[in-house]
Amino acid sequence: MRFAVLLAPALALASPALAQATDPDTIPPAIRAMLDAAIASGNDAEVATIVKYARAADPASGDAVLAIATAWRNTQAKSREVRIEQAGTFDLWTGKVEFGGYLTTGNSDTFGLTGIGDATREGLRWRHKLYVQGDYAEALDVKTREHLLASYSPNYKVSDRHYIYGTGQFESDRFLGYLQRYTTSVGGGIGAIRTAKMTLNLELGPAFRNTRFTDGRVESSLASRGLIDFDWKLTPAITLTQDASAYLDSYNSTISSTTAIAAKVLGPISAQLSYAVQYEGQPPVGRKTTDTIGRASLVYAF
């Protein structure tokens, strides 16, 4: 209601015809009540829906409905900018913590653990991403998997959809044939899809890799890096994600993919099933090129 009151005088000065078209008093009471309720909820998607159907149901008041919604969005955007500018280093972080494990006894004794931390901080111009993953498994008291990955990726936003990324990554997995692998990359990214239910980010750029293999070899090489980050909210409670990356070089190309589906259980807690595949083009002799792992885990969103 207060947005309409503030908006009307300015519109009246601009033009009598425009003022009449955007006069809040021309909005039918039923539509006005729905618009006020949507604004009070703070949900932009709900406001957009009310505006869409209100303009179709009563074209005469359509411009007034849109003007109120636009004023509200502008106020929200300004408030968000102020909040971000005043935020501290440890504020504005969102993400998830994932933990899963399994234990079997009887004919075979198998034990496995997986843990993932994924956090993002959205600023006005900068986006910061932190990711840590650890997997451990053993069968009959013999280690069968010991994987560690940690990465940091700052993004500079050129526009609403385009950005320049940088990334630094450390990996260790002797069962895939390398003790240490360091990767750096700089390139461009685009938010190809950004809707309330679906997002798709694509990145592409050159990379530099330094790898210390389990057979004693040490290799440094230039590579091409590509990344796909896809999230699809199938329902309010179920989300499908697909993350894939590729490092292509003349020595040892790497392709990895993780598909996951998560269902909300209680509040910020979800149950998740995922399947990951990692391919190494030229592993040391005696090592397989492809490694897969299925995970069942609980995820806490913050």
Side-chain angles (χ1 to χ4, degrees):
M1 183 75 70
R2 62 179 181 276
F3 298 108
V5 174
L6 293 173
L7 188 65
L11 294 173
L13 291 174
S15 158
L18 180 61
Q20 183 177 4
T22 56
D23 183 359
D25 293 334
T26 64
I27 303 175
I31 293 178
R32 183 58 176 273
M34 290 188 293
L35 179 61
D36 289 344
I39 288 177
S41 73
N43 189 317
D44 185 70
E46 292 183 4
V47 173
T49 299
I50 295 299
V51 171
K52 175 182 176 181
Y53 290 108
R55 301 191 78 188
D58 186 42
S61 64
D63 289 342
V65 171
L66 178 61
I68 293 175
T70 300
W72 174 75
R73 288 193 180 100
N74 291 339
T75 300
Q76 291 292 96
K78 184 61 179 178
S79 176
R80 176 178 177 272
E81 289 181 7
V82 172
R83 185 172 67 254
I84 292 175
E85 289 174 350
Q86 295 177 348
T89 303
F90 298 103
D91 297 329
L92 306 178
W93 287 94
T94 60
K96 63 182 181 180
V97 177
E98 176 183 340
F99 181 78
Y102 58 88
L103 174 66
T104 64
T105 60
N107 292 322
S108 64
D109 294 329
T110 305
F111 171 77
L113 289 173
T114 184
I116 295 175
D118 188 358
T120 301
R121 187 183 191 275
E122 290 280 355
L124 295 177
R125 281 296 182 183
W126 287 93
R127 177 189 303 115
H128 300 273
K129 297 181 180 181
L130 293 173
Y131 184 87
V132 178
Q133 175 185 329
D135 294 323
Y136 177 86
E138 64 178 40
L140 301 175
D141 296 326
V142 177
K143 291 181 183 178
T144 58
R145 181 174 179 82
E146 194 173 31
H147 176 84
L148 177 63
L149 184 150
S151 68
Y152 166 62
S153 180
N155 300 165
Y156 179 76
K157 303 173 187 178
V158 179
S159 67
D160 289 342
R161 289 182 176 269
H162 300 83
Y163 59 93
I164 298 172
Y165 78 84
T167 188
Q169 180 171 291
F170 168 81
E171 299 172 85
S172 177
D173 193 328
R174 64 186 183 88
F175 294 96
L176 279 175
Y178 55 89
L179 297 175
Q180 297 175 352
R181 179 158 62 197
Y182 299 91
T183 304
T184 58
S185 178
V186 177
I190 179 173
I193 301 176
R194 288 189 177 175
T195 66
K197 292 186 177 181
M198 186 181 298
T199 62
L200 173 63
N201 294 316
L202 305 174
E203 295 180 0
L204 182 65
F208 176 79
R209 309 180 82 191
N210 178 272
T211 307
R212 178 187 173 193
F213 292 95
T214 53
D215 60 6
R217 289 182 296 134
V218 177
E219 292 180 352
S220 297
S221 62
L222 292 175
S224 297
R225 174 188 180 270
L227 178 140
I228 298 174
D229 179 3
F230 176 70
D231 295 342
W232 184 10
K233 186 174 290 187
L234 300 174
T235 72
I238 301 176
T239 302
L240 173 70
T241 60
Q242 173 64 60
D243 299 321
S245 64
Y247 293 88
L248 307 178
D249 64 34
S250 58
Y251 293 102
N252 181 48
S253 296
T254 301
I255 300 174
S256 61
S257 172
T258 301
T259 304
I261 185 164
K264 289 186 178 180
V265 177
L266 180 65
I269 300 176
S270 301
Q272 178 173 284
L273 295 175
S274 64
Y275 184 74
V277 180
Q278 184 161 334
Y279 168 82
E280 298 289 334
Q282 297 180 11
V285 176
R287 303 291 184 182
K288 295 182 178 180
T289 59
T290 304
D291 190 48
T292 64
I293 182 171
R295 299 184 181 92
S297 54
L298 290 177
V299 179
Y300 175 81
F302 60 89

